[in-house]
Amino acid sequence: MSYFKALLLLCGAWLLTLNAAQAQGKLSGVVLDSVTHEPLSFASVFLANTTLGATTTEKGEFEFPRVPKGTYDIVGSYLGYRLGKQTITVEAAPQRLTLNLAPTGNQLGEVVVKPAPNKPEEYRQFTELFIGGSTFSEQCRISNPDDVRVMLDDSTQELTARTKEFLQIDNDALGYRLKYYGLYFAYDKDAQSITYYGQPVFEEMKPRDEAQRRLWAANRLTAYTGSFMHFLRSLYTNRLAAGSFLAQQVRVVANPRYERNQQQRTALLAAGAAGAYSPAEKDSLRRWSREAPELATLYPEPRPIDSLRRVKPNGRVYLRFSGQLQVAHFGEAPDPRFKQRMNTLGPTRTPYPLQRQVSRLQLADDEAEIQADGSLRNPLEVAVGGYWGFEKIGEFLPYDYVPTGMPTPMAPARPAPAARPVRRR
């Protein structure tokens, strides 16, 4: 859909608890060569999308003494070997597992072909789409650009990027070093959609002084407040209003005039050069080029919680809605670099705060399971657009991030003059 620019955030499955008092489990194991079954010493082991990582001993062993209960992707990495990955569920009882990594070494007589360097314009487009254009994204840098292979398909105009090992991104705004293992990135120009996934791990960067530590803490809170992760956590705990969120239903139907008008536009374009069109024909071409294949109607009333989530008897929580869902977050101004027109909230008697960030959601199926850490068990099931589509790697936080100093719950506000934008440092 031309008006709905979807961004699929595909980050794998994991489950963390936000409550430090909840039971934790001990996770340990060994990393082995899948062929020789010999232990791999000093291999990297981490829980994807978190800051939890370890290095194996000389005997190939690792240990995570305190892991919050839940489901994770545990990943093993070692130079000259393919990534090893298992999906595990951590309970209170200790758990031990084995990660087998397959070697990728060259066979005797094998010819190694070095890929051609990335074309500067294609690499620049990839970084702009992947890193993003926010104030925080501007403070991110890729430290190993030669390790990513960017390709443009001449026939489909699809831009893709892959890494053999990992892509390292230093986020100087949030104080994280992100290693994105097994990155796959794709940009579909026709659908205006971006998809990327892999197994990222976060490392805390060392601040140069106390002032930078405080700045990083403040920026992380800014990145979290109003984010998709914040919304999912608020929905999971039935605290949308306390999180300053407003969810509204959007009904989407096919545009009955779209197909006919596009046929007329194609026929008119084939009839002659642009200079030969009459003023009326030029007006029709402009109008038809802007026409959307679908029509959307916004219902301004807030959606009740039972129409947004389903809680099973076993406690599992699901996001569910029909059509599209519009989500507004109040109290924080959009990033100054966000240049798109913000969607309206529709006619409403409630004087909501003027500072707002408005996003759109669409489900691939009837529902998507939400986990307590604010992640989706299957991120492929949800597409996001609007402001959440604008926020990318610059605002990317680990799912073991726990905010402090959150703002007070939302309450309807009296009409006020336009607030001064909050500058993101």
Side-chain angles (χ1 to χ4, degrees):
M1 292 166 283
S2 60
Y3 63 89
F4 185 79
K5 297 184 178 180
L7 172 66
L8 298 178
L9 302 179
L10 317 178
C11 302
W14 59 92
L15 178 60
L16 232 66
T17 175
L18 302 180
N19 185 352
Q22 188 169 339
Q24 296 178 326
K26 178 181 178 181
L27 180 63
S28 62
V30 62
V31 179
L32 302 178
D33 183 305
S34 64
V35 177
T36 67
H37 303 293
E38 293 293 322
L40 297 176
S41 56
F42 309 112
S44 296
V45 182
F46 61 90
L47 303 180
N49 295 277
T50 75
T51 58
L52 302 176
T55 302
T56 60
T57 66
E58 292 182 354
K59 296 181 180 180
E61 297 180 334
F62 63 89
E63 180 179 291
F64 295 93
R66 291 178 298 277
V67 180
K69 290 174 59 178
T71 301
Y72 300 83
D73 280 348
I74 184 168
V75 183
S77 172
Y78 196 74
L79 185 63
Y81 288 76
R82 294 185 179 89
L83 287 180
K85 184 179 73 170
Q86 291 185 29
T87 300
I88 60 169
T89 299
V90 176
E91 301 291 350
Q95 183 177 171
R96 184 173 176 83
L97 57 89
T98 299
L99 276 175
N100 290 296
L101 306 189
T104 59
N106 298 332
Q107 301 295 321
L108 186 63
E110 182 180 352
V111 177
V112 178
V113 180
K114 187 175 181 180
N118 294 316
K119 295 182 179 179
E121 63 276 13
E122 294 174 5
Y123 178 78
R124 181 170 56 253
Q125 186 180 22
F126 158 70
T127 57
E128 291 173 353
L129 293 171
F130 179 61
I131 301 296
S134 69
T135 303
F136 289 167
S137 293
E138 291 292 321
Q139 300 176 59
C140 295
R141 65 181 187 279
I142 296 175
S143 61
N144 58 339
D146 294 337
D147 290 342
V148 61
R149 180 73 178 101
V150 183
M151 293 168 289
L152 179 66
D153 189 308
D154 292 333
S155 59
T156 65
Q157 291 299 298
E158 182 182 49
L159 186 76
T160 60
R162 297 176 183 267
T163 55
K164 184 178 180 181
E165 295 291 338
F166 61 82
L167 189 67
Q168 180 170 309
I169 304 151
D170 292 344
N171 189 332
D172 292 331
L174 303 185
Y176 287 119
R177 177 168 292 115
L178 176 65
K179 290 185 177 179
Y180 220 115
Y181 287 83
L183 171 67
Y184 172 78
F185 169 94
Y187 168 60
D188 187 328
K189 185 177 180 180
D190 290 337
Q192 287 292 288
S193 66
I194 300 171
T195 304
Y196 57 93
Y197 56 85
Q199 289 79 43
V201 61
F202 291 79
E203 299 176 7
E204 295 269 2
M205 296 170 63
K206 185 177 180 180
R208 59 178 174 267
D209 51 32
E210 179 62 20
Q212 187 173 55
R213 187 196 66 78
R214 290 196 300 268
L215 176 62
W216 284 348
N219 285 349
R220 290 174 186 179
L221 181 59
T222 298
Y224 174 78
T225 305
S227 66
F228 187 44
M229 179 169 70
H230 184 195
F231 168 73
L232 290 179
R233 288 180 178 180
S234 300
L235 186 63
Y236 186 94
T237 56
N238 190 12
R239 291 179 56 82
L240 283 184
S244 300
F245 289 105
L246 167 69
Q248 299 169 294
Q249 179 70 44
V250 180
R251 182 171 178 262
V252 181
V253 297
N255 183 350
R257 300 184 304 273
Y258 178 77
E259 195 69 32
R260 181 184 70 251
N261 290 345
Q262 290 306 304
Q263 292 174 356
Q264 293 176 325
R265 179 174 180 268
T266 301
L268 186 56
L269 288 172
Y277 299 139
S278 68
E281 289 173 332
K282 291 180 181 179
D283 180 69
S284 295
L285 286 173
R286 283 193 297 268
R287 179 163 39 83
W288 292 337
S289 67
R290 294 193 298 265
E291 196 161 28
E294 294 176 317
L295 301 175
T297 302
L298 174 70
Y299 295 89
E301 291 302 314
R303 297 301 301 161
I305 189 69
D306 291 341
S307 71
L308 300 177
R309 70 169 196 166
R310 180 169 70 94
V311 182
K312 285 189 173 182
N314 60 7
R316 295 170 73 170
V317 180
Y318 293 81
L319 171 67
R320 66 169 187 178
F321 56 88
S322 59
Q324 291 181 14
L325 189 69
Q326 179 166 294
V327 180
H329 180 262
F330 302 98
E332 183 182 48
D335 187 290
R337 286 175 169 79
F338 183 73
K339 303 302 182 183
Q340 302 175 29
R341 182 180 178 182
M342 199 71 73
N343 288 339
T344 178
L345 303 182
T348 174
R349 297 178 181 178
T350 304
Y352 290 109
L354 296 178
Q355 292 188 119
R356 64 189 61 159
Q357 300 166 356
V358 185
S359 306
R360 288 279 180 92
L361 294 178
Q362 186 164 353
L363 291 171
D365 208 340
D366 293 335
E367 57 186 15
E369 184 176 354
I370 308 171
Q371 306 194 89
D373 61 357
S375 67
L376 296 167
R377 182 171 289 273
N378 180 6
L380 276 167
E381 294 176 334
V382 181
V384 305
Y387 196 75
W388 286 337
F390 167 75
E391 294 184 320
K392 296 178 183 173
I393 293 298
E395 289 72 28
F396 192 22
L397 291 166
Y399 275 87
D400 53 344
Y401 170 76
V402 179
T404 57
M406 287 293 295
T408 56
M410 182 188 76
R414 295 188 300 272
R420 185 174 57 191
V422 177
R423 295 187 60 85
R424 298 188 179 209
R425 292 178 288 177

